[in-house]
Amino acid sequence: MSDRVKIFRQFLTPPLSKFNYRNRTVQGTNIQSWIRRKGDLRQIRILQSTITIDTIAELTDIETGRVTNRIPVKGNFHFKVYVFNKLSSPQRLIYITSPNSGLQYFLIDGKADGPLRESIEVGMDEALEKLRKEVTKVSGIRI
């Protein structure tokens, strides 16, 4: 996975002075955009969203498929979604982080990936699914 994530290093210090900046909030999601008409990197967007979860998470035994535990999950999950549009790349490069857990998910050339973890924060899968829908709704970006 680390080789695939290295592609995002090119965006650590982009020359933002050549971009036009825009900041707006849509339905509680803050969207910062840097856009330019020339060069390979055409657009950078950072979407900051808080996803509220109030559900019951079910833990399932992998071997039997039976639910072994039900855990109530109620709280807020905070995410930053980084979206990079390059002229040379037919698909957007997307990188999703959360302050408590770091890298959650990324897409390169339309292929999704993410880190393997020993443990996953309870409710994170539900929050990511809700985030995907929210980002699509407010920006039109499919993640």
Side-chain angles (χ1 to χ4, degrees), residues 91-142:
Q91 307 238 357
R92 294 178 178 107
L93 299 164
I94 300 173
Y95 189 91
I96 302 171
T97 65
S98 76
N100 297 335
S101 304
L103 173 64
Q104 292 299 313
Y105 179 83
F106 62 88
L107 281 108
I108 299 172
D109 297 329
K111 296 177 185 166
D113 206 346
L116 294 175
R117 302 183 187 279
E118 287 185 25
S119 64
I120 299 171
E121 186 176 356
V122 176
M124 183 59 76
D125 289 339
E126 292 86 352
L128 280 168
E129 185 57 36
K130 203 169 173 182
L131 175 72
R132 286 182 186 99
K133 290 176 184 174
E134 182 69 19
V135 167
T136 301
K137 185 168 81 174
V138 301
S139 71
I141 298 169
R142 295 181 152 279

Side-chain angles (χ1 to χ4, degrees), residues 83-96:
V83 181
F84 305 96
N85 290 5
K86 292 179 67 175
L87 194 60
S88 63
S89 179
Q91 307 238 357
R92 294 178 178 107
L93 299 164
I94 300 173
Y95 189 91
I96 302 171

